[in-house]
Amino acid sequence: MHAQKIIVIHPGSLNLRIGRASDLNPITILHAIGRRRKMDQKLHTNIMYHDPMLPRLSKEKEVMQEFEESRLQVSHSIQSHVTQYEERGGGAKRLRVATPPQQIATFNRRSVPVELPLDIPTKSDLKDSTDIKEEKDEQSYKIKEDIFDEDILKLNVDEACDYNIHFPMKRGDLNLHNNIGGSLTSVMSDLESIWSYVIEERMSIARRTLGQYGAVLVISDVYNRSVLREMVTLLLQHLGFRACFLVQDHVAATFGAGLGYACVVDVGDQKCSISCVEDGISHPDTRVRLGYGSGDLSQVFLALLRKCSFPYKDCNVEESYSDAVVINNLKELYCHLNLEICGAQEKVFEVKKINKRLRYTLQLGDECVVAPLAFFHTELFSITGKKKSVQLQMRSSQQSDPEDCFDAEYIRETGRVRNGRGDQLLDGAMPITGDTPDEELVVVDNFDVDERTANVRNTDKEEQLYFSSVGGQIVPLDMAVVRSIERCMTDDMKRKMYGSILLVGGGSKLSGFSKWLEQKIILHVRSAEQFAYEVNVCVKEMDASMIAWKGAAIMSCLESAPELWLFADEWQKFGLRILREKSIFMW
């Protein structure tokens, strides 16, 4: 299949990246949809539903008090880190001066926004044809049933009441909930609408011609089989692609980075995921998905700004998507982990309203450093919820599917145990009737029977004990990386993974983040007296948020790619069985 006839889709919790395999960069849009509310629904405000762009902030006093205590501890830890860095010979001894927050708050309180002139149109823009076009745009905007990307961000408070706004993915998984639009059918319908909008409007590909195209879908390393089945059905039956195949994001990232093996650390908007990949295989025992990400960091940064009298007092990230974008932009521009930068820094940013352009001046101190340190001091993330999820890869016995005729649960329930007294049915198994010869029966060893329930029971405990610290606090990113690598089978593989830690994802682009992560992992390795391991965190020159997409595009053009494609007629005929046989990951 030619590269121009392959569409690579990488869905995320915040952004969707999609484009032809032959494109240099993908199209990136907000992965959300606004659906116009019915007329009779406007009388009932409880039916209105808006998914927030940033994780919801906890407003309990106890949580905010704990947050303040954690902030002070993190501020003190910065100086101790400087001392450790100097002792290791990383820099000259010097005093790091931190400006007191009270001094910064005094400046910010006195800061007054400057109103800037709106963009003045030129004479060529003032023709009658332009006015007619603007009127048409306004009319088309008013009657739009579904809105996407920029149209969602431009909504004011009154216009937002006319739409239910959904983000179909949350924390790296489908955004299923009990409110309106939270069912599996609704979420899959939202994905279909968003993806078809980009394909038709942004890529100029008619939907009726998708039968000539193949689709490559980048999925999460920690996956659920039932969700994958729905995704393939969406691509081949609803959208009408000729063929498709699925690739895990960490495997695609190693292809995009040109590495044969790596411990991939993906810092996304609402989750951080880690796994060890070797020769295109993501090892299931090393996979972990942590329920915090760059969006939580934005809320931490905003909380720190408000403690220093943030001059943009009308900022409301819960109700205004444009304000959430402002905070995300400030975080990307000013947050860093470079301890050479200290003292008060004066910054300028603009806020665009309907009929206004305002320029704000503010001072920033160590807030720019403390906020990113939340990845290493996860108690700061408690303001977006104390209970953060940890997900490991579920075993096959925990993902039974009634449509899969070779499902582990089915084989176990219909198999026989062979022991010294002869064949016996498993407990709870369906009786096998008829004259079935013994050689056609599935034989299950005794140890499988004994451990089948133990494996299921131990999984939750394993998650809590291995990726949670004392008191149930979710582990920091550096500790999660170490524990993921330690689950590798051999010492040789552990050594390889420590020496090739690949950092990807949009949340990893903060200045100094990779070096800080490397130093924290070195401290863990040395404390365990594992001096044989050399730690190296790799950062590629390309955009970290696009590495997985590029890797999937590369995979689709390999010489062996024709063997990967799952065709629509095969899916119609064989269903889940063909996905089991052709999937390029351990099913």
Side-chain angles (χ1 to χ4, degrees):
M1 203 173 289
H2 198 273
Q4 290 185 340
K5 292 291 185 179
I6 298 173
I7 297 177
V8 182
I9 305 171
H10 185 189
S13 301
L14 178 65
N15 292 318
L16 167 69
R17 293 176 180 85
I18 183 171
R20 292 179 175 87
S22 57
D23 293 343
L24 180 62
N25 291 317
I27 297 168
T28 303
I29 73 161
L30 190 70
H31 201 193
I33 182 173
R35 295 195 183 276
R36 177 175 279 276
R37 297 172 61 208
K38 302 272 196 260
M39 293 300 294
D40 56 346
Q41 288 182 352
K42 292 185 179 180
L43 302 176
H44 306 283
T45 55
N46 61 333
I47 300 179
M48 184 175 68
Y49 182 82
H50 288 174
D51 274 322
M53 182 181 293
L54 299 179
R56 295 189 186 277
L57 195 67
S58 176
K59 297 181 180 179
E60 298 178 9
K61 290 184 179 180
E62 294 179 2
V63 172
M64 297 311 296
Q65 186 176 352
E66 291 176 7
F67 174 77
E68 177 61 19
E69 294 172 359
S70 302
R71 183 192 68 82
L72 291 172
Q73 291 176 1
V74 173
S75 297
H76 293 316
S77 72
I78 293 175
Q79 188 58 42
S80 65
H81 186 88
V82 172
T83 306
Q84 292 173 353
Y85 184 61
E86 290 170 350
E87 289 175 354
R88 291 196 300 271
K93 288 187 177 293
R94 65 181 187 82
L95 181 65
R96 186 179 188 278
V97 180
T99 306
Q102 296 83 358
Q103 181 179 332
I104 294 174
T106 302
F107 177 90
N108 290 337
R109 272 194 293 269
R110 295 173 181 171
S111 178
V112 179
V114 178
E115 189 167 342
L116 301 175
L118 294 171
D119 296 333
I120 301 173
T122 60
K123 291 182 180 180
S124 60
D125 293 331
L126 296 176
K127 295 179 181 178
D128 294 339
S129 59
T130 308
D131 296 336
I132 294 170
K133 184 180 178 182
E134 287 177 356
E135 288 177 7
K136 287 182 178 179
D137 288 342
E138 288 179 4
Q139 290 175 1
S140 63
Y141 175 77
K142 289 178 182 177
I143 61 173
K144 280 181 180 176
E145 289 296 318
D146 298 333
I147 57 173
F148 306 90
D149 199 30
E150 291 293 332
D151 289 339
I152 294 176
L153 300 179
K154 291 176 182 177
L155 291 176
N156 58 37
V157 178
D158 295 331
E159 292 169 342
C161 294
D162 294 334
Y163 290 92
N164 289 327
I165 300 171
H166 305 281
F167 283 76
M169 299 192 72
K170 181 181 180 181
R171 300 293 184 192
D173 210 341
L174 296 184
N175 185 14
L176 305 178
H177 52 83
N178 296 327
N179 215 313
I180 185 170
S183 66
L184 178 62
T185 306
S186 298
V187 171
M188 298 310 294
S189 176
D190 290 341
L191 289 174
E192 180 183 351
S193 299
I194 298 169
W195 298 357
S196 60
Y197 160 77
V198 183
I199 291 170
E200 291 182 302
E201 300 296 329
R202 299 293 183 91
M203 301 176 67
S204 302
I205 299 174
R207 184 165 173 174
R208 66 178 181 274
T209 64
L210 288 181
Q212 306 170 15
Y213 288 80
V216 179
L217 180 64
V218 182
I219 62 170
S220 173
D221 256 40
V222 180
Y223 61 82
N224 187 310
R225 290 183 186 174
S226 299
V227 173
L228 299 191
R229 184 191 65 208
E230 296 292 337
M231 290 290 191
V232 175
T233 303
L234 170 62
L235 292 172
L236 298 182
Q237 295 184 352
H238 297 172
L239 289 172
F241 280 100
R242 178 191 170 201
C244 77
F245 72 83
L246 311 180
V247 56
Q248 292 169 297
D249 51 2
H250 291 186
V251 174
T254 58
F255 274 86
L259 298 175
Y261 57 87
C263 175
V264 182
V265 182
D266 184 355
V267 184
D269 183 71
Q270 294 197 6
K271 56 88 181 173
C272 292
S273 57
I274 305 163
S275 77
C276 295
V277 180
E278 186 178 30
D279 297 330
I281 300 294
S282 171
H283 294 274
D285 289 341
T286 65
R287 298 177 200 163
V288 61
R289 185 165 68 210
L290 307 171
Y292 57 77
S294 185
D296 300 88
L297 173 58
S298 297
Q299 285 284 27
V300 171
F301 188 48
L302 179 58
L304 295 174
L305 290 178
R306 283 174 173 161
K307 285 190 174 295
C308 295
S309 301
F310 188 42
Y312 180 28
K313 295 180 174 58
D314 296 333
C315 182
N316 187 348
V317 295
E318 282 79 18
E319 295 184 6
S320 172
Y321 292 111
S322 59
D323 285 350
V325 171
V326 169
I327 298 302
N328 273 336
N329 291 339
L330 289 177
K331 172 198 66 181
E332 293 173 4
L333 286 172
Y334 302 135
C335 282
H336 61 86
L337 283 172
N338 184 359
L339 297 184
E340 299 294 322
I341 301 174
C342 60
Q345 307 286 324
E346 196 168 306
K347 305 293 182 181
V348 176
F349 68 97
E350 289 186 11
V351 176
K352 292 182 180 180
K353 294 294 183 181
I354 303 172
N355 298 317
K356 289 182 181 179
R357 271 181 67 208
L358 300 175
R359 176 182 292 168
Y360 289 88
T361 304
L362 79 157
Q363 274 192 358
L364 294 170
D366 274 354
E367 294 80 20
C368 300
V369 179
V370 173
L373 283 178
F375 284 118
F376 308 97
H377 299 268
T378 51
E379 58 272 14
L380 288 173
F381 282 143
S382 62
I383 62 169
T384 57
K386 282 190 172 183
K387 294 183 179 179
K388 295 287 192 300
S389 64
V390 176
Q391 292 188 346
L392 304 181
Q393 181 60 55
M394 288 191 291
R395 294 178 175 86
S396 59
S397 59
Q398 295 174 277
Q399 298 192 67
S400 58
D401 195 306
E403 293 187 16
D404 190 354
C405 59
F406 293 99
D407 181 73
E409 183 72 16
Y410 175 83
I411 292 174
R412 188 168 59 236
E413 291 296 327
T414 58
R416 287 189 177 183
V417 180
R418 178 165 293 166
N419 54 30
R421 294 172 296 175
D423 291 348
Q424 292 180 347
L425 285 173
L426 297 180
D427 294 336
M430 294 176 60
I432 301 176
T433 60
D435 298 328
T436 307
D438 287 343
E439 57 269 18
E440 293 184 11
L441 295 177
V442 179
V443 179
V444 184
D445 292 329
N446 281 324
F447 66 84
D448 287 335
V449 180
D450 297 334
E451 295 180 1
R452 57 179 178 162
T453 53
N455 287 341
V456 176
R457 285 199 304 267
N458 289 340
T459 303
D460 293 336
K461 292 180 181 178
E462 196 176 14
E463 290 179 2
Q464 294 172 0
L465 295 176
Y466 204 67
F467 287 99
S468 298
S469 56
V470 180
Q473 183 74 38
I474 193 169
V475 295
L477 187 61
D478 54 318
M479 180 63 75
V481 172
V482 171
R483 292 184 177 179
S484 175
I485 294 177
E486 287 302 315
R487 300 182 80 173
C488 292
M489 298 297 291
T490 64
D491 290 339
D492 183 56
M493 187 176 174
K494 291 177 186 178
R495 183 178 293 105
K496 288 163 64 176
M497 293 303 161
Y498 275 117
S500 180
I501 299 173
L502 176 62
L503 197 57
V504 299
S508 67
K509 295 190 286 186
L510 301 175
S511 174
F513 183 79
S514 60
K515 192 65 179 175
W516 193 285
L517 177 62
E518 183 177 293
Q519 291 174 2
K520 294 289 284 186
I521 294 174
I522 288 173
L523 290 176
H524 288 299
V525 171
R526 287 189 175 181
S527 64
E529 297 183 356
Q530 295 167 332
F531 295 102
Y533 295 145
E534 180 183 349
V535 179
N536 181 32
V537 175
C538 312
V539 179
K540 295 298 174 180
E541 295 181 358
M542 67 182 82
D543 189 338
S545 62
M546 297 182 183
I547 291 178
W549 183 91
K550 286 179 178 291
I554 292 169
M555 289 184 70
S556 67
C557 301
L558 296 175
E559 290 183 4
S560 57
E563 300 176 9
L564 307 177
W565 292 104
L566 194 159
F567 291 90
D569 55 349
E570 293 177 327
W571 181 252
Q572 183 73 28
K573 185 176 181 180
F574 300 107
L576 207 58
R577 175 181 167 187
I578 197 70
L579 180 57
R580 169 191 286 276
E581 292 178 357
K582 282 199 169 185
S583 63
I584 58 175
F585 44 85
M586 296 179 185
W587 187 251

